[in-house]
Amino acid sequence: MIYFSWATQIILAIISFLWLIPYYIAFKVGNRKYMSKTLDLSCNNRYTLMYYSGFFISILWYIMPFLNQPRFKLNIFSLLIGYFMSVWGTKVVNCNLQATKDRFLHPSKLITEGPYKKVRNPMIMGDLFCHLSFILLLGAIHTLCLYIIYICINLVIVYIENKYSLCIHFKKEYEEYAKKTPAYMNQELWLFAIFYLVIIVTNICLTTTIYI
């Protein structure tokens, strides 16, 4: 049963990684068509649909912790999920929609205020911490072991968006913004990361002691 659980988790992780292909095509090919004025972002088109493939990746990683697998014994992350989904998430999404609604390839402006004043990718960081909170809340050991894959997926997403959108349309402005703003982690998020690490180590120790 454990081997079947591992196999299922690995297959889903690979599928989620493959979902990056349409996301990449949406930005690379879609941007070329947009720059040549053959693509109207205000209308529904295949590239917009490919762009939303990123949401399927996120949903898949919310499903994986529910699958049958060994579980940690200490689960205290409901408040952290609430923070990243309601407080951090709401602020970031509201800022993001001001610039990217109906025009994901060419945001109307480079957002540098609010959460974006703290780090350049607050939506990605909120998503990563929220997923990690959810994984630990359910005590999903196999999903946690594969979580590094989800981190890599999000790093690729950031690379794609920067290369085929922000660095093209806001080149000099983005370079100045990048010089004074960290990409992923500020002091607040580092404190969260350290706290998560402590809880993970505690979970491992408690679970190991129980099984021994």
Side-chain angles (χ1 to χ4, degrees):
M1 184 63 71
I2 292 179
Y3 293 114
F4 176 76
S5 172
W6 260 119
T8 304
Q9 295 274 330
I10 291 172
I11 290 172
L12 291 177
I14 292 173
I15 291 173
S16 70
F17 205 92
L18 292 176
W19 270 110
L20 284 172
I21 296 175
Y23 197 83
Y24 170 77
I25 294 173
F27 275 87
K28 183 173 183 178
V29 180
N31 185 68
R32 187 169 64 242
K33 290 182 176 293
Y34 175 79
M35 296 295 286
S36 63
K37 302 187 184 303
T38 60
L39 177 63
D40 183 2
L41 291 180
S42 65
C43 301
N44 291 327
N45 57 78
R46 72 184 69 176
Y47 302 104
T48 300
L49 294 176
M50 289 180 181
Y51 165 74
Y52 285 114
S53 65
F55 292 100
F56 290 103
I57 296 174
S58 180
I59 291 171
L60 198 59
W61 280 86
Y62 275 122
I63 293 173
M64 288 168 62
F66 284 101
L67 301 180
N68 183 45
Q69 59 190 294
R71 303 279 172 184
F72 285 133
K73 302 302 178 182
L74 179 62
N75 307 317
I76 59 171
F77 280 81
S78 56
L79 291 178
L80 288 176
I81 289 178
Y83 172 78
F84 283 110
M85 291 191 72
S86 61
V87 181
W88 184 278
T90 300
K91 289 181 180 179
V92 174
V93 170
N94 287 339
C95 287
N96 192 273
L97 287 177
Q98 293 176 14
T100 60
K101 186 178 181 181
D102 299 327
R103 47 186 304 161
F104 69 94
L105 282 175
H106 186 185
S108 58
K109 63 179 180 179
L110 180 65
I111 309 172
T112 59
E113 298 299 324
Y116 286 86
K117 193 173 183 178
K118 298 179 179 181
V119 291
R120 301 200 303 273
N121 300 285
M123 182 172 284
I124 291 293
M125 296 312 301
D127 181 70
L128 287 174
F129 277 114
C130 190
H131 275 82
L132 182 57
S133 297
F134 200 71
I135 290 170
L136 293 174
L137 177 66
L138 296 175
I141 295 177
H142 287 174
T143 309
L144 179 63
C145 292
L146 295 171
Y147 182 70
I148 185 66
I149 296 176
Y150 190 62
I151 294 176
C152 292
I153 288 172
N154 279 274
L155 293 178
V156 173
I157 287 175
V158 171
Y159 173 80
I160 292 172
E161 292 177 351
N162 286 346
K163 182 174 182 179
Y164 296 108
S165 180
L166 298 180
C167 290
I168 292 177
H169 302 294
F170 307 102
K171 184 174 175 55
K172 291 184 178 180
E173 186 180 358
Y174 185 78
E175 288 177 353
E176 290 300 316
Y177 173 53
K179 287 179 182 178
K180 58 184 181 182
T181 310
Y184 302 104
M185 301 290 286
N186 65 350
Q187 185 176 7
E188 177 186 358
L189 293 178
W190 273 117
L191 289 174
F192 272 109
I194 293 171
F195 178 69
Y196 274 69
L197 182 60
V198 170
I199 295 299
I200 290 172
V201 172
T202 302
N203 268 298
I204 292 172
C205 293
L206 288 175
T207 304
T208 303
T209 301
I210 290 172
Y211 283 118
I212 290 177

